[in-house]
């Protein structure tokens, strides 16, 4: 009887799954258009009253994208005032759409990655998963792993696309 050898298990490949970096918090959009006078402009007195009386606890632990979906006159300080109220409640907030928020969340997670564990490793960045991972995250993880990994591939350990292999150092005589 012939023994089967699992060459993938014996290859020394390290799988890196970006899905593990997806922040579990809820994503919400705060559209400042709801604070506009006649849908055209922001009135400071009304906005400050709203800021004072609004229940900010509803954003506890959430990830908030702040936008204005209409072509309106909104002064920059209004977004800053919103940020000051979200600071003590939201996990993360950004000015921009949900895509910008997701990028910020991945940037935050990837920046904390200790890459020494991948030093001289053959890394496979998992490509297919159950949750969507933005392209941004794949580029960011390359930037993080390139200085330490011996090689980087994309896909699954059984079927990879080679992306990078550290050049062999020349031995001087």
């Amino acid at each position: 009887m012939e023994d089967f050898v699992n060459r993938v298990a014996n290859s020394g490949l390290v799988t890196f799954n970006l899905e593990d970096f997806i922040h579990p918090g809820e994503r919400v959009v705060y559209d400042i258009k709801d604070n506009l006078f006649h849908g055209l402009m922001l009135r400071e007195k009304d906005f400050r009253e709203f800021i004072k009386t609004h229940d900010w606890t509803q954003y506890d632990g959430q990830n908030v994208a702040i936008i204005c979906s209409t072509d309106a006159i909104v002064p920059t300080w209004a977004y800053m005032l919103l940020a000051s109220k979200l600071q003590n409640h939201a996990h993360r907030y950004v000015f921009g759409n949900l895509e910008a928020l997701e990028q910020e969340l991945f940037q935050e997670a990837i920046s904390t990655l200790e890459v020494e564990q991948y030093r001289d490793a053959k890394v496979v960045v998992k490509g297919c998963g159950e949750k969507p991972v933005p392209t941004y995250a794949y580029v960011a993880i390359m930037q993080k792993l390139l200085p330490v990994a011996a090689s980087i591939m994309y896909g699954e350990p059984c079927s990879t696309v080679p992306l990078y292999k550290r050049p062999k150092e020349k031995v001087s005589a």
Side-chain angles (χ1 to χ4, degrees), residues 44-84:
E44 183 176 358
K45 182 180 178 190
D46 295 342
F47 188 62
R48 287 191 180 275
E49 183 61 28
F50 166 79
I51 291 292
K52 193 185 314 180
T53 60
H54 186 68
D55 177 18
W56 296 101
T57 61
Q58 66 183 298
Y59 302 101
D60 285 351
Q62 293 183 338
N63 300 294
V64 183
I66 303 168
I67 65 165
C68 183
S69 63
T70 64
D71 187 21
I73 300 167
V74 180
T76 303
W77 61 260
Y79 296 109
M80 296 169 71
L81 193 54
L82 277 172
S84 74

Side-chain angles (χ1 to χ4, degrees), residues 16 21 109-119 141 144-145 148:
F16 187 94
F21 288 79
I110 290 170
S111 71
T112 65
L113 177 66
E114 293 293 330
V115 293
E116 274 307 308
Q117 62 187 313
Y118 300 101
R119 179 149 313 272
I141 200 58
K144 193 82 172 183
L145 292 174
V148 295

Side-chain angles (χ1 to χ4, degrees), residues 77-128:
W77 61 260
Y79 296 109
M80 296 169 71
L81 193 54
L82 277 172
S84 74
K85 290 302 184 179
L86 289 169
Q87 177 66 30
N88 294 325
H89 297 283
H91 168 262
R92 176 71 58 220
Y93 54 88
V94 299
F95 175 76
N97 58 19
L98 288 172
E99 185 178 318
L101 175 62
E102 205 61 43
Q103 181 170 328
E104 177 68 22
L105 291 169
F106 269 102
Q107 180 60 42
E108 177 185 49
I110 290 170
S111 71
T112 65
L113 177 66
E114 293 293 330
V115 293
E116 274 307 308
Q117 62 187 313
Y118 300 101
R119 179 149 313 272
D120 301 323
K122 297 175 190 172
V123 181
V124 177
V125 178
K126 188 173 180 186
C128 300

